[in-house]
Amino acid sequence: MAKIKVATAHMAGCFGCHMSLLDIDERLVKLIELVDFDKSPIDDIKKFSGKVDVGIIEGGCASQENYEVLHSFRKHCSILVAVGECALTGGIPAMRNTVPLKECMEEAYLKGPSVVDGVIPNDPDIPLILDRVYPLHEVVKIDYFIPGCPPPADAYWQVLTALLEGKEPVISYEALKFD
Amino acid sequence: MSNGKITIYVDDVEVETEPGKTIMEACDASGIYIPRLCYHKDLIPGGHCRVCTIKVNGKPTNACTFPAQEGLVVENDTDELKEFRRNIIEMLFVEGNHVCPYCEKQGNCELQALAYRLGMIAPTYPYLFPKIEVDASHPDVYIDRNRCVICGRCVRASRDIDGKSVFGFVGRGNDKHIAVNAEHNLSETQLTAADRAADICPTGSIVVKRTAYKVPYGKRMYDQEPIGSDIEKSAKV
């Protein structure tokens, strides 16, 4: 049987959810026997090689680049899984959502106490920031969610093994956490 | 009836109780958990949150305020009511700014625990992200209305137990919030950290300062067992 293809991406988050995936420890060996990683920071592959079975996304949608990555994942992945508080709710980055974007940028780049000769960045190489941070399911259809900050390794394991076996994922009470 | 007891039927289970008890009290004593948020056993029931909605003889009502009467047929643990309750919890999550990762109440929060128990993985409603100020003026207690669910426990505790009426509701609908009985902020009130109102909040809205994160992850109140397990276990004894 061909191996299942998995892609992962990191958006407006802290990479903690990817770290937590590595926390499945020795089960990683078993996972690697079952899956091949496609586009992912884990293997540093930058582009999709083709259609992927499972896409895992950490972090909220906060910039133009995030938006494009998210749509690219939706296009390439049969099943899309949002992982972690930021992907599910916007999380810590979404604290800026209560403040208008202009005020946020001015506070960070013009009025901040340590700013000298501040300029609001506007370089074509820097992705444009969105008006607010969006939970992923407000932008594209998400098939499954793994909450947590980060999700416990057991939650990852329970969802991934269920998906690999073609079953509906259920997260046990002990592994269901929002914090 | 002859022994002064009455019987109600909760999801086809006979529950014996006494006249004057509410359906919530009758069920608690029999080890049947009805999810609740604004209810607290030490307070006069408020009937605000509607999380304890049950069906009595087919009609929806509050378990915390409805008196038990002989022969009542009560629906509690049904898919319909569970979905209804989960929707209330979801709406509370999106109406405020309930960010569990940096909340001092994490693991001990009744709102979070209800979401776990009722099966909320991610809210299905759009987040409102309201802008709400924190009042940390008091030396020992702060009130963060981002996490307030308008349950009114603090209002009732301060008025009925502490005898101070530090908190009260103001506004209506979406504008409804908790106000403090002072010109400006919490520091001007008679509230102390020892008051019942200071530790009765189900969420991280009213928190006694310098008490957070004392219990490690994994050993907090709702880490291992769902909210309501204590009530359900009490029946089996």
Side-chain angles (χ1 to χ4, degrees):
Chain A
M1 195 182 86
K3 282 187 174 183
I4 304 267
K5 278 190 180 179
V6 176
T8 76
H10 160 262
M11 309 215 308
C14 70
F15 251 109
C17 298
H18 272 83
M19 300 305 288
S20 192
L21 174 61
L22 301 181
D23 277 343
I24 61 174
D25 297 334
E26 70 275 12
R27 289 174 287 188
L28 268 173
V29 179
K30 199 176 165 191
L31 184 69
I32 289 301
E33 287 171 5
L34 300 171
V35 309
D36 269 334
F37 279 95
D38 202 87
K39 175 180 161 66
S40 168
I42 291 174
D43 52 17
D44 210 23
I45 295 176
K46 308 286 190 197
K47 286 185 178 162
F48 282 106
S49 65
K51 197 82 179 155
V52 164
D53 300 294
V54 181
I56 297 170
I57 303 190
E58 161 193 351
C61 186
S63 71
Q64 190 186 7
E65 192 223 1
N66 291 160
Y67 181 86
E68 285 161 9
V69 168
L70 187 51
H71 275 282
S72 161
F73 263 70
R74 184 66 277 180
K75 197 175 140 197
H76 286 92
C77 306
S78 305
I79 294 172
L80 205 51
V81 187
V83 298
E85 181 78 5
C86 302
L88 269 63
T89 73
I92 309 284
M95 286 177 85
R96 78 165 165 93
N97 287 7
T98 60
V99 183
L101 181 60
K102 189 162 181 280
E103 283 176 39
C104 270
M105 299 299 267
E106 285 173 357
E107 183 64 26
Y109 294 107
L110 301 179
K111 296 181 191 164
S114 60
V115 172
V116 180
D117 299 332
V119 183
I120 292 178
N122 184 24
D123 187 288
D125 284 345
I126 301 173
L128 282 175
I129 200 160
L130 300 182
D131 61 333
R132 65 180 180 90
V133 181
Y134 292 84
L136 303 189
H137 63 273
E138 291 187 11
V139 183
V140 298
K141 181 183 187 298
I142 300 292
D143 302 294
Y144 297 103
F145 299 89
I146 313 180
C149 186
D154 285 340
Y156 267 115
W157 186 247
Q158 288 163 12
V159 171
L160 289 179
T161 50
L163 290 177
L164 295 178
E165 290 166 8
K167 294 179 186 161
E168 196 65 17
V170 178
I171 301 172
S172 67
Y173 183 83
E174 295 77 10
L176 177 63
K177 295 272 179 281
F178 297 163
D179 47 58
Chain B
M1 283 293 273
S2 56
N3 56 0
K5 299 271 186 184
I6 54 173
T7 306
I8 63 173
Y9 302 87
V10 182
D11 294 335
D12 298 328
V13 176
E14 279 187 31
V15 173
E16 200 173 68
T17 185
E18 296 151 17
K21 297 281 186 193
T22 61
I23 291 176
M24 179 86 88
E25 289 167 332
C27 287
D28 279 1
S30 301
I32 295 171
Y33 175 68
I34 301 172
R36 77 288 302 269
L37 183 59
C38 74
Y39 175 84
H40 190 285
K41 61 180 173 46
D42 297 342
L43 300 175
I44 299 165
H48 300 299
C49 74
R50 306 279 153 173
V51 172
C52 73
T53 296
I54 48 168
K55 279 192 172 180
V56 176
N57 294 348
K59 288 187 177 176
T61 185
N62 292 334
C64 68
T65 51
F66 202 92
Q69 294 157 47
E70 177 63 30
L72 289 184
V73 176
V74 177
E75 291 170 48
N76 171 41
D77 196 23
T78 65
D79 288 344
E80 182 194 10
L81 287 170
K82 275 190 278 190
E83 191 187 338
F84 175 86
R85 292 165 183 158
R86 196 187 63 241
N87 273 290
I88 294 177
I89 299 298
E90 285 193 13
M91 285 190 267
L92 289 171
F93 263 90
V94 300
E95 272 178 10
N97 294 310
H98 298 277
V99 190
C100 299
Y102 62 78
C103 178
E104 290 86 337
K105 198 78 172 198
Q106 54 168 249
N108 303 311
C109 169
E110 292 177 39
L111 181 71
Q112 190 188 47
L114 280 167
Y116 293 159
R117 173 146 188 157
L118 296 170
M120 184 190 99
I121 303 290
T124 50
Y125 297 104
Y127 282 87
L128 300 185
F129 297 112
K131 182 168 174 58
I132 302 169
E133 300 295 332
V134 177
D135 180 352
S137 58
H138 192 287
D140 299 319
V141 184
Y142 69 78
I143 175 165
D144 181 350
R145 295 179 180 88
N146 286 289
R147 304 165 183 165
C148 180
V149 290
I150 321 285
C151 71
R153 276 194 198 175
C154 56
V155 177
R156 285 174 278 156
S158 187
R159 183 191 63 207
D160 303 331
I161 300 178
D162 303 329
K164 294 182 179 177
S165 290
V166 168
F167 301 101
F169 289 117
V170 293
R172 278 187 174 276
N174 258 3
D175 296 327
K176 188 169 182 174
H177 62 276
I178 296 290
V180 296
N181 191 4
E183 193 72 33
H184 303 103
N185 54 38
L186 200 56
S187 66
E188 299 163 8
T189 68
Q190 296 177 349
L191 184 76
T192 71
D195 285 356
R196 199 74 178 92
D199 77 344
I200 207 158
C201 179
T203 73
S205 185
I206 298 176
V207 175
V208 177
K209 292 180 180 177
R210 298 173 293 278
T211 59
Y213 307 120
K214 286 200 171 159
V215 179
Y217 187 98
K219 292 185 174 173
R220 302 166 303 178
M221 204 180 298
Y222 303 117
D223 271 340
Q224 300 299 330
E225 290 187 326
I227 188 169
S229 297
D230 51 337
I231 290 171
E232 287 167 329
K233 277 186 193 163
S234 67
K236 294 173 188 126
V237 178

